[in-house]
Every structure is written in structure tokens, then in C-alpha cells.
Amino acid sequence: DDERCEALVQRLTPADSHLVIPLAADADSDRRWWAVRALALVGADNAVPALVNCLDDDDPGVRAAAAMSLGHVYRRAPAAVTAHLEQVAALLADDNGIVRQAAGDGLALCADDAVPALAALLRQSHHPGARTRAAAALRKIATMRAAAVLYPLLNDSNHLVRMYAYEGLDEMGLLENVLVMP
């Protein structure tokens, strides 16, 4: 019962995370998913190893939830999550589109700390879905550090990568030309 589970998850506090962490390794994929969902709300640095293990889960829903959860836990424990951002970035090449989307969104929540992992993926990967999601994440991050990676993408061979680069830079006001007349 998803409604009941969500109501229970909303009642959890950070003090409950030690009870939830073991469920992230449960044999039942629904329990793993709900544990990962709960850790997004209440997990801290102690939850990171369990979430990282879930990035390799057989269930794409659990992988997607783990990628997003790490983005949420980053806000409470950035140092613990930052070391694992390349593992999240690797999910941008997942066979499942929802996992790719969740990985991009999770990385975007990590702001500038995710930029090196996204830049490395863009340099090394030829996977069109991975490159597109990386560019979309950089657009969402929308900082000068992200802009430095987006600029060269204006000439990328992938039209979606070019579009995200253009839109991101344009939204940051970095594509405007100023004509000065005497």
C-alpha cells in the first residue's frame, strides 16, 4: 500500500535511519525501494554506503531511487556523498531511461560538486543518452563552473546536448551580446 508506506516514511526522523538502513539490503525489492525512499528524507552520512550499494541493484526502480536519494542526502552530508558522484554519473548510461533521468536529477542536486563527474562523463562517453542527461544536469546546476563545461558543448555532434548547452547558457544570461554604440 503505497499511500500507507508514504505516510509512515513521512513520520520518520533522522534518529530512525539506523532502523531503515538494513532494509536497503532486503531480499524484497519493494522494501529496498521504500528504504531508499526513506533514507532520502532522513539519511545522513551513515546511510551513504547502503545507498551506494543500491546503485548496482537488479531493480531499476531501486537504482533510480538510490541515485535521487544520494542527491537529497548530499544536502545533509555533502562530504560523504561527493566521493561517490562518479558512480552516480555512471548510471547516466544505464539501459533504463528512468534510471538515467534520476541519476541526472540526483547529480543536479549536488550542484558544483557534481560538475567534475559530469565533465568526465562527457569527455569519455559516447553513449547518447548519458551525454544528453549529463548536459541536462549541467543546465540545472546553472553555475559558472557548469557553464565552463557547457560552452564547448555548443558544438557537440548530439543535437540534444547542444540544445541543453544553449538553453543553460542562455538562461544564465551568458549568450547575450552587448552592442556598444558611440
Side-chain angles (χ1 to χ4, degrees):
D1 180 4
D2 288 345
E3 287 182 28
R4 184 170 173 236
C5 287
E6 183 62 30
L8 290 171
V9 164
Q10 294 297 324
R11 292 178 21 197
L12 294 172
T13 68
D16 300 318
S17 67
H18 73 283
L19 302 171
V20 177
I21 290 170
L23 292 174
D26 196 273
D28 181 72
S29 64
D30 284 337
R31 285 189 184 139
R32 289 193 310 275
W33 190 93
W34 279 107
V36 169
R37 164 72 179 110
L39 292 172
L41 294 175
V42 300
D45 55 352
N46 64 333
V48 171
L51 293 172
V52 169
N53 286 338
C54 288
L55 293 175
D56 294 324
D57 199 275
D58 291 336
D59 186 318
V62 174
R63 289 194 308 274
M68 279 298 298
S69 291
L70 282 166
H72 288 286
V73 170
Y74 171 86
R75 294 178 178 190
R76 294 182 295 277
V81 174
T82 300
H84 304 286
L85 294 179
E86 287 187 11
Q87 290 170 270
V88 178
L91 290 180
L92 294 171
D94 196 275
D95 291 336
N96 187 291
I98 292 172
V99 175
R100 289 193 304 271
Q101 179 67 45
D105 290 343
L107 288 164
L109 292 173
C110 299
D112 272 348
D113 282 340
V115 172
L118 291 164
L121 181 130
L122 284 161
R123 280 191 309 273
Q124 299 163 2
S125 178
H126 298 291
H127 187 286
R131 294 178 53 73
T132 299
R133 291 293 166 216
L138 289 165
R139 175 187 176 196
K140 289 177 184 178
I141 292 171
T143 63
M144 291 307 289
R145 193 170 185 188
V149 178
L150 287 172
Y151 267 114
L153 299 179
L154 290 171
N155 294 316
D156 198 86
S157 60
N158 181 321
H159 74 281
L160 290 173
V161 171
R162 283 194 316 269
M163 178 196 72
Y164 283 123
Y166 178 85
E167 288 178 353
L169 293 167
D170 189 47
E171 288 165 0
M172 291 191 303
L174 299 174
L175 294 182
E176 295 179 11
N177 291 323
V178 178
L179 181 61
V180 179
M181 303 284 287

